[in-house]
Amino acid sequence: FLLNRLVSAAVWPMGFCNSKSHYEGADAARDAGDGSNVLIFQRQARCPNSHPLQREAARSAAVECGKCEQRVRKGAVTHSCSVCEYHVCAACFEAEGGPLLGVNALFLRWFQSTHNLGDRTTSQVCEDIILRETDSGRSFLDVQLQQQDGDEGSPFVGPATVFVSHAWACRTADVIAVLLDFDARDEDVEHFFWVDLFNNNQHTASAKPFEWFCTVFQESIAALGTVLQVMTPWDDPVPVKRAWCLWETFCAVKLREERGVRLVVRLPPGQEQGFLASFDSDFAGVMDAMVRIRAEHASAFKVQDRDNIFQAIRTSVGFERVNLAVKDQLRKWYLDTAAMLAEREAEKGGYSPALGNLASALKDFGEYERALDLHRKDLVFSIKAFGEVSKEVGITYNNM
């Protein structure tokens, strides 16, 4: 496909990206029940115009390394782009690091419009689409980049800015909806999402060693700066049951304190009304389900990955702290999201009883200032909807 024929292609120089040699393969975790978002950070070297570099022998002594600007002897190993005549010597190839690649909203909309996703989970999309449209040596992103025309670069790829944490047992359409919504809310910023389904070679599989979880994984997340977790379905979220997702959440919370990493949790937009309605029906039950976290009972497709994640937890902070950190984060997300949706609903001209319920919940958690603020907003909307002399207004005054 030639996406740059469909849009006015901007050029995003990619610089020299990371060599693939250090971390080969991707845990495709294609079991339909698996909830892991496998972060292999497969390294892929590219020229400044984002074409993949190929390993070859220097054809002449006139070849110059684009990094160190030194001549390379004829026959020596280089990593080269034949389109741009760009070369990197073996030493620079191993020594240099660079940004991980990410895809933007343009790519996501193209993928969604050209593939029949339906209700298929990410595991099923991997089996039905990704594996069939790639070969054993390339990721889906590599295949699309190599099908671009000429040397204009890619209009849908840039250095990754957001790591996407999602469960493979959830619908891919829901994941993409969250990413597009996230991107649309920041009109002045173009986000590039690191998505394992596209970035990793799904034909290979390798469990990661214990040390990897403690070092490479966390450093890579810190380098991206933002973790976006897709929480779905709202009434029984899969990520809270998966070892990978819980580990990603905990690392994001930890790195937020240490390195300023931003953790954002989002619902698919289509589930927002059901989520808000829970405050009127079974608020206590849904809240209980959201914070019933037991990391030591979480599962993963690969037993070795689960065991190594558990070992990383035991030798660092312990399960109790992980459970507490994840529970606190999810509770905060639940309440913040509910408050935002309830206020949005009330501002449309209607009345949302969720505001009062939410304020009471915040009071129960000891967040009195926030609770009082919401009660005041609830009072304004109650008076507007029912008049100053009404039962609903009286209840709100009493709660305040």
Side-chain angles (χ1 to χ4, degrees):
F1 91 106
L2 301 174
L3 190 59
N4 52 347
R5 289 179 179 171
L6 305 179
V7 297
S8 176
V11 179
W12 292 293
M14 296 306 301
F16 181 79
C17 293
N18 298 326
S19 158
K20 185 178 175 181
S21 61
H22 298 293
Y23 308 108
E24 293 185 345
D27 183 354
R30 294 184 288 270
D31 174 86
D34 182 56
S36 65
N37 174 47
V38 184
L39 181 59
I40 301 302
F41 287 115
Q42 178 172 313
R43 301 194 169 199
Q44 174 65 63
R46 299 182 187 276
C47 75
N49 287 316
S50 79
H51 302 119
L53 299 183
Q54 303 297 327
R55 179 187 174 95
E56 63 178 33
R59 294 184 290 272
S60 73
V63 171
E64 182 178 288
C65 174
K67 302 303 295 184
C68 65
E69 300 182 350
Q70 298 295 312
R71 290 290 180 91
V72 179
R73 64 177 175 80
K74 183 178 180 179
V77 172
T78 64
H79 298 268
S80 305
C81 170
S82 59
V83 176
C84 304
E85 289 297 324
Y86 179 82
H87 310 276
V88 177
C89 69
C92 289
F93 185 84
E94 292 298 326
E96 287 286 341
L100 297 161
L101 297 181
V103 297
N104 62 9
L106 180 65
F107 176 91
L108 296 171
R109 283 193 289 268
W110 166 81
F111 183 78
Q112 192 170 42
S113 66
T114 56
H115 297 83
N116 181 23
L117 301 181
D119 290 329
R120 283 185 284 194
T121 66
T122 300
S123 296
Q124 293 167 335
V125 168
C126 183
E127 288 283 357
D128 300 342
I129 298 174
I130 302 300
L131 290 176
R132 294 180 182 181
E133 296 187 14
T134 57
D135 53 47
S136 60
R138 297 184 295 175
S139 69
F140 186 78
L141 185 56
D142 283 337
V143 171
Q144 306 313 319
L145 285 171
Q146 290 172 16
Q147 291 181 9
Q148 295 297 291
D149 272 347
D151 59 358
E152 293 182 347
S154 169
F156 58 80
V157 173
T161 57
V162 180
F163 165 67
V164 180
S165 174
H166 66 109
W168 275 49
C170 297
R171 296 185 342 135
T172 301
D174 287 337
V175 175
I176 291 179
V178 168
L179 304 191
L180 292 176
D181 181 64
F182 177 85
D183 186 72
R185 295 191 193 189
D186 289 335
E187 296 181 354
D188 298 330
V189 179
E190 181 171 30
H191 298 286
F192 291 91
F193 302 98
W194 193 98
V195 185
D196 56 347
L197 181 68
F198 304 131
N199 284 71
N200 284 337
N201 178 357
Q202 302 298 343
H203 292 270
T204 57
S206 61
K208 309 312 296 175
F210 161 70
E211 294 79 10
W212 184 86
F213 288 94
C214 301
T215 55
V216 176
F217 180 86
Q218 297 187 46
E219 285 300 317
S220 298
I221 284 184
L224 267 62
T226 299
V227 174
L228 174 59
Q229 186 168 76
V230 180
M231 192 62 64
T232 182
W234 69 267
D235 54 348
D236 187 24
V238 176
V240 303
K241 306 172 186 176
R242 311 306 298 181
W244 267 102
C245 292
L246 291 177
W247 178 246
E248 289 161 4
T249 303
F250 173 72
C251 288
V253 172
K254 175 174 176 286
L255 292 169
R256 181 178 60 192
E257 300 171 356
E258 299 175 356
R259 309 275 288 275
V261 170
R262 182 169 65 137
L263 173 61
V264 181
V265 185
R266 289 280 172 83
L267 276 174
Q271 297 183 23
E272 290 178 347
Q273 286 302 314
F275 177 81
L276 185 59
S278 70
F279 282 83
D280 300 329
S281 55
D282 186 25
F283 168 73
V286 175
M287 191 69 183
D288 179 64
M290 290 300 299
V291 299
R292 198 185 303 125
I293 309 298
R294 299 285 291 177
E296 61 269 37
H297 296 158
S299 57
F301 177 70
K302 282 190 170 296
V303 175
Q304 184 179 345
D305 278 347
R306 184 202 63 193
D307 292 345
N308 283 331
I309 289 173
F310 285 3
Q311 184 182 359
I313 292 174
R314 291 191 188 97
T315 57
S316 56
V317 297
F319 282 104
E320 183 175 353
R321 182 176 170 188
V322 169
N323 290 334
L324 181 61
V326 175
K327 284 179 182 179
D328 287 346
Q329 176 59 39
L330 291 181
R331 182 184 294 114
K332 180 181 185 302
W333 162 76
Y334 189 84
L335 296 173
D336 288 349
T337 302
M340 181 268 293
L341 294 176
E343 289 184 52
R344 184 196 301 172
E345 192 73 14
E347 287 170 356
K348 291 179 180 178
Y351 168 73
S352 176
L355 275 175
N357 293 337
L358 179 59
S360 298
L362 287 168
K363 182 177 66 176
D364 292 341
F365 287 119
E367 298 189 38
Y368 302 117
E369 289 298 325
R370 288 187 65 197
L372 184 57
D373 181 58
L374 281 184
H375 276 310
R376 287 169 177 156
K377 292 179 180 179
D378 185 38
L379 179 63
V380 172
F381 291 121
S382 296
I383 292 174
K384 184 178 180 180
F386 305 106
E388 289 198 31
V389 182
S390 62
K391 179 182 71 174
E392 288 78 9
V393 171
I395 291 174
T396 302
Y397 272 122
N398 183 65
N399 289 333
M400 292 173 67

